[in-house]
Amino acid sequence: MRRVRGEVYLALALLNIFVLLAGFVSLDIIEARPLPAAPHPVTNAEGVAAAELASSTPADPERIADILDDPMSAVGLEDGLTGYVTDPSGTPLFELDPDTAVTPASTTKIATSVAVLDAVGPDHVLTTEAYFDAAENRVVLRGGGDATLTTTADSGAYPQVATLEELAAGTAEALAAEGVDTVSLGYDDSLFTGPDTPQGWKPNYIPEGNAAPVTALMIDSGRVSPEASGYGSRSTEPSQHAARAFADQLEEAGVTVEGEPSDTTASGEPIATVDSPPMSRMVESMMLSSDNVMAEAMGRTAAIAMGEEHTFDGAVAATHRVMADLGVRDVTVTDNSGLSTLNRITPRALVELVRHSADPDRPDLNAALTGLPTSNATGTLSSNGRYAEGTSTHDGAGLVRGKTGTLNGVSTLAGTVHDQDGNMFVFAFMANSESASGHQLDTLATALTRCGCS
């Protein structure tokens, strides 16, 4: 997982001042992470001015339709564009084929976030363990599905994650108590089973660094280094890669490791463990960075908790079960990251999921909302000049919070937005068209911010 220090601090600041209005105001944000929200949105992510109090006048659907008309025509996606906008209570304000199921790309991660939070709760942690097989004089590193595990600590990172450095120190201490200073090393990634890539993934995803084979033992979401990006940035053998990194940390801790790590099975009781951050913080981090491997690992975590197979099929079965329990229809997925070209979700379903994440009766789901990137400030809504000064969408800076989704021929955006009267809207715009690209839907969200729609 890429952890960028400057973005983290800005994310925390914005989460501390960004509003949840109307029906969302009653949220018990104290239970959300990382920080509670204050009652007003920022007007510009580069400034500090706050908007006026929200208008109590209901938004006018006709005015919303009018203000969206020109930008929708301008993006040239009429044949492949769908959308849905509501107020926080769920009252429809704009509909454009909202029940048409289309490829959602990474907005799938909204469903994944809600599913894993529902399945295990916001405080759940994932544990990576070290075992000692005295008969074989072998330490065994066992993965617990924590894709955020890393090698050494970064004091400026958010969230603070488990490290092999800490695990190695605990392991070395336990071995020293047994009078052992030389061992061989094994690794156990058996918690996840089945294929390590799902239906619908293209062959180029792993070579180009969009994902890695999904195993229960990996560091940095399968990246070859925490900062790695782009072509070849992911290990094709993430379990072995993590085991070799653990061997290095054991050596640093004073334990001699003989030979190469081998694939084996852990048994007995662990001699050292490290825990991931709470699931709520992991969800926020995954949503901000749109980390595909983290999303897939979270799907497996939900499957394990719900008694499904520990496979991709089990993960999507768990996701579908949570959607059914929540009454959210038209979510059909074959993976949890949104890389699959076979996934289908409707705009209405995405809006309903955002609203569920803000339900005051479900504070356990809040991280799916607080993890949404903020325009021109954090995560994927700050990359590649989105909503930046000098662009046609800069008016929306700081006023749009949304999950992005991009594949070839797919562009999606779903989240919340505020207009000039202080109204809050929940929205989803989805384009499935040969000409669809990442930034086109920003103009529609920005149009909503310009609306004096009461």
Side-chain angles (χ1 to χ4, degrees), residues 77 80-82 102-110 290 337-338 343 345-347 350 380-381 386-387 402-407 409-415 427-433 436-442 444:
L77 295 171
L81 182 63
T82 58
V102 298
T103 305
S106 278
T107 50
T108 300
K109 293 182 176 75
I110 298 175
S290 198
S337 62
N343 292 353
I345 301 179
T346 65
L350 288 176
T380 54
L381 283 185
R386 296 182 81 155
Y387 297 91
K403 183 69 200 75
T404 58
T406 305
L407 293 171
V410 177
S411 179
T412 57
L413 183 64
F427 73 92
F429 296 116
M430 309 181 76
N432 279 202
S433 169
S437 64
H439 294 197
Q440 288 170 301
L441 301 183
D442 294 351
L444 307 185

Side-chain angles (χ1 to χ4, degrees), residues 25-177:
V25 162
S26 59
L27 274 175
D28 183 9
I29 294 300
I30 292 175
E31 295 297 322
R33 289 173 174 81
L35 291 174
H40 309 300
V42 292
T43 57
N44 188 316
E46 295 172 346
V48 295
E52 297 297 321
L53 286 171
S55 170
S56 60
T57 306
D60 180 356
E62 290 188 5
R63 297 191 68 179
I64 291 177
D66 286 343
I67 203 162
L68 287 173
D69 184 57
D70 286 345
M72 281 187 167
S73 297
V75 296
L77 295 171
E78 291 88 345
D79 292 337
L81 182 63
T82 58
Y84 189 51
V85 182
T86 75
D87 67 13
S89 72
T91 301
L93 300 173
F94 176 82
E95 300 185 39
L96 178 64
D97 298 324
D99 297 312
T100 298
V102 298
T103 305
S106 278
T107 50
T108 300
K109 293 182 176 75
I110 298 175
T112 298
S113 296
V114 170
V116 72
L117 289 166
D118 181 89
V120 304
D123 298 322
H124 182 77
V125 297
L126 305 175
T127 303
T128 306
E129 302 166 326
Y131 294 75
F132 180 56
D133 182 343
E136 299 291 336
N137 195 46
R138 179 172 59 199
V139 169
V140 179
L141 173 66
R142 186 173 192 272
D146 179 11
T148 71
L149 181 70
T150 194
T151 304
T152 58
D154 177 357
S155 61
Y158 180 87
Q160 289 291 302
V161 300
T163 68
L164 293 177
E165 179 182 35
E166 180 184 357
L167 185 63
T171 301
E173 182 177 353
L175 293 174

Side-chain angles (χ1 to χ4, degrees), residues 1-4 148-152 154 219-229 233 241 291:
M1 177 182 57
R2 192 176 306 157
R3 297 180 295 279
V4 183
T148 71
L149 181 70
T150 194
T151 304
T152 58
D154 177 357
I219 55 176
D220 304 309
S221 289
R223 292 185 175 87
V224 295
S225 68
E227 299 81 17
S229 63
S233 64
H241 179 70
D291 191 290

Side-chain angles (χ1 to χ4, degrees), residues 9 98 100 183 223 230 244 307 361 401 436 453:
Y9 293 146
T100 298
V183 297
R223 292 185 175 87
R244 292 185 186 107
D361 294 328
R401 296 192 70 185
C453 291

